[in-house]
Amino acid sequence: MGKEFVIKDLGPLHFFNGIQATRNSAGFLLSQEQYIDNFIIKTKMNVVKLTSTPILSSSSDVDSTPFWDPVLYRNTVGAHQYATFKRDSVLQLQAYSNADWASDMSDRISTSGMAIFLVPNLIS
């Protein structure tokens, strides 16, 4: 590849895309410990009080104000999908896509989506 593209050797793999890689005799040990620690600090979950249930038992005490930061909410929900990796003996990559080629007659806008799994885990 170096003949066709300008590339730079970054040295041995240690950390990539939220996953820490440590080389051992069997290959690599992958861990998300640093990713989870950063996530907990970013969302301030390290300073919350524990409770036996995440919702109030009485509907009269419910605060109806919307969540103040929808971007933080979406990032938090999205980050959880990357923190739920399960160990599996079979390493298989699966990708799914869907497209709607301008089928809405009112605006003719196309929509598309995709999901990529490193079975059984959603990675993108």
Side-chain angles (χ1 to χ4, degrees):
M1 283 184 48
K3 292 179 183 179
E4 296 294 324
F5 303 99
V6 176
I7 59 174
K8 181 179 181 181
D9 183 1
L10 299 176
L13 175 65
H14 294 291
F15 195 77
F16 179 74
N17 203 23
I19 299 174
Q20 185 176 355
T22 307
R23 193 179 241 325
N24 61 23
S25 61
F28 283 99
L29 173 66
L30 303 179
S31 168
Q32 292 182 294
E33 183 177 358
Q34 185 176 352
Y35 176 81
I36 299 300
D37 288 345
N38 291 341
F39 172 73
I40 288 171
I41 292 168
K42 176 183 173 184
T43 57
K44 297 185 171 86
M45 289 186 194
N46 56 332
V47 293
V48 298
K49 288 190 335 183
L50 298 178
T51 183
S52 60
T53 179
I55 60 173
L56 299 172
S57 59
S58 169
S59 62
S60 64
D61 294 335
V62 175
D63 182 8
S64 62
T65 57
F67 188 73
W68 60 274
D69 187 352
V71 173
L72 176 61
Y73 175 79
R74 287 191 296 271
N75 288 341
T76 302
V77 171
H80 274 97
Q81 75 181 5
Y82 297 107
T84 57
F85 276 75
K86 295 179 184 174
R87 187 177 191 160
D88 200 334
S89 60
V90 177
L91 190 62
Q92 183 180 13
L93 189 66
Q94 292 180 344
Y96 301 93
S97 66
N98 190 9
D100 176 6
W101 301 109
S103 69
D104 185 345
M105 299 303 279
S106 64
D107 61 12
R108 304 302 285 175
I109 293 176
S110 298
T111 58
S112 63
M114 69 171 189
I116 301 174
F117 292 85
L118 187 57
V119 174
N121 306 296
L122 178 66
I123 58 174
S124 180

